[in-house]
Amino acid sequence: MRSKIISIGDELLIGQIVNTNAAFLGEKLFSIGIPAEKVIVIGDEEKILLNELKDSVTNYDVTIITGGLGPTHDDITKPTLVKFFEDELITDEKVLEHVKNIFASRNIAMPEVNAGQALVPKNSEVIWNHSGTAPGIWIEKHNKIIIAMPGVPHEMKAMINEILLSKICTKFESKLNEVHIQKTLLTTGLGESTLNEKLGDIKELIGDSKLAFLPSTEGVRLRINVTSDSKKDAEQKLDEIESKIRIKAGDYIYGINNESMEFVIGDLLRCNKQTLSIAESCTGGEISSRIVSVAGSSDYYFGGVCSYSNKEKVKILRVKEEILEKFGAVSKETAIEMAEGVRKLMDTDFALSTTGIAGPTGGSAEKAVGLVWIGFSSKSKSYAVNFLFGEKRDIIIGRASMRALDILRRELLGLEIKY
């Protein structure tokens, strides 16, 4: 079974919008045993889409198109499908009523152009869009399926999860003989090449399965893909591979799949009924922002101080002026006092601090751009660790935030601080 994804929109080609739809669809198609073999992004051009449709009905069992279903002149998907399949557009009265009701519920007069969203190819099946005005379209020809959906991510995702995955599986039930499953192990603290060395002989590790290294500025994701004739066998293979990787990568693995570091930490703090506060200088509130992005973080996060200036470090965090004068703001001593100061101020079990030179200016021979001190404080100990995170401001801030959170994770789990 073969599948293909087509994302339509000039905004995708010029980088105005990131193509998250294709990533979501690729994951979903893989999960039902019809992995995507081709993902393509095209502009709002009829000729290009016609060529891709010809390729789709020739080579792929399922093609999913996102985008181009809106009511304006540059939305080409429906007219191009009609042209390719020699069909015609007709008004679906139920869809038209749905569109009118959406505008009425918002107390907005419906523009006449929106009535065009109820036009669908005559020889297609409408896929209901509960979240928006543009319906999806299902077309079958020569046992090949073409599915068109809106490009709005939350609308597309709802249609896939609620309707289309099960519909595709039912259609190809007799042909879906293989089971495809995957799991992603999330690591931080090791670069891609170092992690690869730790894992050793990859072929010996995974056999006929697949292992992908997906590096970022914050860590490396290890995605395991397993294919088998049965779900039980596939799950057993995946478990064996995961166990081998965990033995070799150890405590550098902090989570799985879509878990974030802040989610993992929040879970630990909540389970232990412990609390956290944060003092940030060079990261400018980034760590606090990540912590509060997790629902329910008020259970364990008491607050933070963004003390960018020395004046605020002294006034709010009680960093001693003589410490700043002798060692400077970017120093072990200041990082420790910041962490201790915010912990006492907020009366929490743990505290983190960051102070550094995020650049691009401000560095010196003694203290280069990218130097960051990360402080930790609990009721039993305080310390700070220094890092060099490169020369790009956004990368420095991202890496410093992730490393600070990983230090906290290791403390919560009683693991060695390997930095």
Side-chain angles (χ1 to χ4, degrees):
M1 297 294 295
R2 308 180 71 197
S3 68
K4 171 182 172 181
I5 299 167
I6 304 174
S7 301
I8 299 177
D10 291 337
E11 67 277 9
L12 297 172
L13 289 173
I14 65 175
Q16 190 175 37
I17 293 177
V18 177
N19 187 13
T20 57
N21 285 351
F24 173 83
L25 289 169
E27 180 182 354
K28 293 297 181 180
L29 287 167
F30 181 88
S31 72
I32 61 172
I34 314 178
E37 294 186 11
K38 186 177 185 180
V39 177
I40 188 164
V41 180
I42 63 174
D44 304 300
E45 300 233 0
E46 179 187 90
K47 182 179 178 181
I48 299 174
L49 180 53
L50 286 171
N51 288 335
E52 289 303 326
L53 288 170
K54 183 178 179 181
D55 172 60
S56 293
V57 298
T58 303
N59 299 308
Y60 297 92
D61 301 288
V62 179
T63 297
I64 298 183
I65 304 168
T66 60
L69 290 179
T72 57
H73 72 284
D74 58 341
D75 291 304
I76 63 162
T77 301
K78 284 191 292 189
T80 306
L81 286 170
V82 165
K83 184 173 184 177
F84 181 80
F85 289 108
E86 298 178 344
D87 203 349
E88 62 178 306
L89 288 172
I90 61 170
T91 297
D92 185 299
E93 294 299 334
K94 289 184 178 180
V95 173
L96 181 58
E97 183 181 359
H98 172 66
V99 175
K100 288 179 178 179
N101 288 339
I102 286 178
F103 279 93
S105 68
R106 298 171 184 169
N107 200 25
I108 301 172
M110 186 185 84
E112 189 61 34
V113 69
N114 282 90
Q117 294 188 290
L119 292 171
V120 297
K122 184 177 181 180
N123 296 305
S124 71
E125 181 181 344
V126 169
I127 304 300
W128 203 255
N129 181 0
H130 295 285
S131 306
T133 56
I137 297 166
W138 174 293
I139 298 174
E140 290 188 38
K141 187 157 186 173
H142 306 310
N143 211 34
K144 302 294 178 70
I145 296 174
I146 306 291
I147 301 167
M149 290 186 295
V152 181
H154 79 271
E155 295 181 21
M156 179 274 296
K157 289 178 180 180
M159 295 165 77
I160 284 287
N161 289 330
E162 295 170 9
I163 303 170
L164 286 167
L165 276 189
S166 62
K167 189 173 176 64
I168 294 169
C169 288
T170 300
K171 172 66 181 177
F172 294 110
E173 186 175 7
S174 62
K175 295 184 179 181
L176 295 175
N177 300 319
E178 288 186 329
V179 175
H180 298 261
I181 60 174
Q182 67 177 12
K183 178 182 277 190
T184 302
L185 304 181
L186 311 174
T187 78
T188 191
L190 291 177
E192 182 181 9
S193 56
T194 307
L195 182 58
N196 187 65
E197 283 185 359
K198 266 192 169 294
L199 296 184
D201 188 331
I202 301 299
K203 187 66 178 176
E204 182 181 330
L205 195 67
I206 65 171
D208 58 359
S209 299
K210 294 181 179 179
L211 179 65
F213 286 70
L214 307 169
S216 71
T217 56
E218 295 186 352
V220 182
R221 291 179 294 148
L222 297 172
R223 190 186 65 234
I224 311 164
N225 288 352
V226 174
T227 302
S228 186
D229 295 332
S230 71
K231 184 178 180 181
K232 182 178 180 181
D233 185 59
E235 289 176 343
Q236 184 177 339
K237 280 185 178 180
L238 193 147
D239 288 344
E240 289 174 357
I241 293 170
E242 180 181 355
S243 295
K244 291 177 183 178
I245 291 174
R246 285 186 178 276
I247 289 170
K248 292 176 177 290
D251 52 27
Y252 291 101
I253 299 171
Y254 67 85
I256 61 170
N257 296 332
N258 296 318
E259 291 177 341
S260 64
M261 178 66 86
E262 47 269 29
F263 174 83
V264 171
I265 283 171
D267 217 29
L268 290 169
L269 287 167
R270 184 182 288 109
C271 288
N272 295 335
K273 296 183 179 180
Q274 294 170 317
T275 55
L276 172 68
S277 57
I278 301 170
E280 298 183 68
S281 184
C282 63
T283 49
E286 176 70 15
I287 306 174
S288 291
S289 177
R290 289 180 62 161
I291 290 290
V292 301
S293 70
V294 179
S297 54
S298 58
D299 291 345
Y300 48 82
Y301 184 55
F302 280 15
V305 175
C306 186
S307 55
Y308 218 62
S309 72
N310 285 355
K311 179 181 176 182
E312 300 310 312
K313 289 178 177 67
V314 172
K315 181 180 177 182
I316 300 175
L317 298 176
R318 305 302 185 196
V319 176
K320 299 181 185 68
E321 290 186 359
E322 53 266 32
I323 289 290
L324 290 168
E325 290 172 4
K326 184 175 180 180
F327 300 104
V330 181
S331 65
K332 173 182 178 180
E333 291 77 10
T334 297
I336 291 173
E337 292 228 331
M338 287 174 65
E340 290 180 340
V342 76
R343 182 179 60 78
K344 293 172 184 175
L345 177 68
M346 301 286 180
D347 191 23
T348 56
D349 295 299
F350 304 108
L352 295 170
S353 69
T354 59
T355 180
I357 305 168
T361 59
S364 66
E366 295 79 22
K367 297 180 180 181
V369 169
L371 172 64
V372 177
W373 281 93
I374 297 174
F376 171 85
S377 179
S378 68
K379 293 174 183 177
S380 61
K381 63 180 175 181
S382 296
Y383 62 86
V385 189
N386 70 313
F387 303 90
L388 287 171
F389 288 129
E391 298 179 350
K392 293 187 177 180
R393 187 177 183 86
D394 57 338
I395 292 177
I396 293 167
I397 292 172
R399 285 176 172 168
S401 301
M402 185 66 166
R403 194 57 55 85
L405 292 173
D406 191 47
I407 286 172
L408 177 59
R409 176 185 72 94
R410 288 177 174 276
E411 286 288 350
L412 291 171
L413 292 172
L415 301 174
E416 179 185 355
I417 307 300
K418 297 180 178 179
Y419 309 120

